[in-house]
């Protein structure tokens, strides 16, 4: 388990890169029930004014919290998780998309031993989630 007393605001506690393919999007659609064709058909995505097929926002959100879950060792220690969707992740049919997640200690609550972990999710060097924060109980 993570030792709360060893943490300092600004510490990077986890970093991970995820490679997404169209296959991942189709599998996620099946698991989530979100079969909106903008997530797997270029023609539909372009028709509605998008640059191409987009990853599901909730898939991106799920990927972003995974490094924190791995770091803390028990996903039940996550007591709150919030994000704002700011930019889409465009998943190319041939090359896919790489999303990089960095998890940094944003605040420490000594009384409760809860750490706020701030997430940075980047695709093509642009942040795709805003105010992405996870609160983790380390008591």
């Amino acid at each position: 388990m993570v030792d709360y007393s060893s943490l300092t605001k600004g510490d990077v506690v986890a970093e991970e890169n995820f490679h997404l393919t169209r296959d991942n999007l189709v599998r996620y659609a099946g698991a989530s029930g979100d079969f909106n064709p903008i997530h797997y058909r270029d023609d539909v995505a372009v028709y509605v004014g998008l640059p191409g097929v987009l990853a599901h926002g909730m898939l991106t959100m799920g990927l972003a919290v995974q490094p924190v879950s791995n770091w803390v060792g028990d996903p039940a220690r996550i007591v709150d998780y919030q994000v704002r969707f700011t930019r889409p992740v465009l998943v190319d049919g041939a090359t896919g998309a790489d999303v990089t997640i960095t998890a940094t200690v944003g605040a420490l609550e000594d009384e409760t031993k809860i750490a706020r972990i701030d997430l940075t999710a980047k695709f093509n060097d642009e942040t795709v989630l805003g105010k992405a924060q996870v609160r983790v109980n380390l008591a």
Side-chain angles (χ1 to χ4, degrees), residues 12 14-18 60 63-65 67-68 81 83 99-104 117-123 125-134:
V12 173
E15 285 187 285
E16 195 163 342
N17 184 63
F18 296 93
T60 305
L63 293 175
V65 76
V68 175
Y81 178 36
V83 305
V99 178
T100 302
I101 310 299
T102 305
T104 307
I117 307 300
D118 297 339
L119 302 175
T120 304
K122 289 194 171 190
F123 163 69
D125 292 323
E126 291 189 320
T127 301
V128 297
L129 297 175
K131 199 167 171 131
Q133 298 178 335
V134 185

Side-chain angles (χ1 to χ4, degrees), residues 67-110:
V68 175
S69 181
N70 294 343
W71 166 71
V72 76
D74 179 1
R77 292 195 171 279
I78 295 172
V79 295
D80 185 48
Y81 178 36
Q82 301 176 35
V83 305
R84 289 192 183 141
F85 300 103
T86 56
R87 287 188 182 85
V89 174
L90 186 65
V91 182
D92 184 80
T95 60
D98 290 308
V99 178
T100 302
I101 310 299
T102 305
T104 307
V105 176
L108 296 166
E109 300 172 16
D110 292 335

Side-chain angles (χ1 to χ4, degrees), residues 34-55:
D34 181 353
F35 290 101
N36 186 326
I38 66 167
H39 299 302
Y40 59 89
R41 288 188 46 191
D42 287 298
D43 61 329
V44 174
V46 170
Y47 179 77
V48 299
L50 299 170
V53 167
L54 307 180

Side-chain angles (χ1 to χ4, degrees), residues 2-17:
V2 176
D3 178 14
Y4 177 86
S5 65
S6 71
L7 298 176
T8 304
K9 184 177 176 180
D11 288 350
V12 173
V13 295
E15 285 187 285
E16 195 163 342
N17 184 63

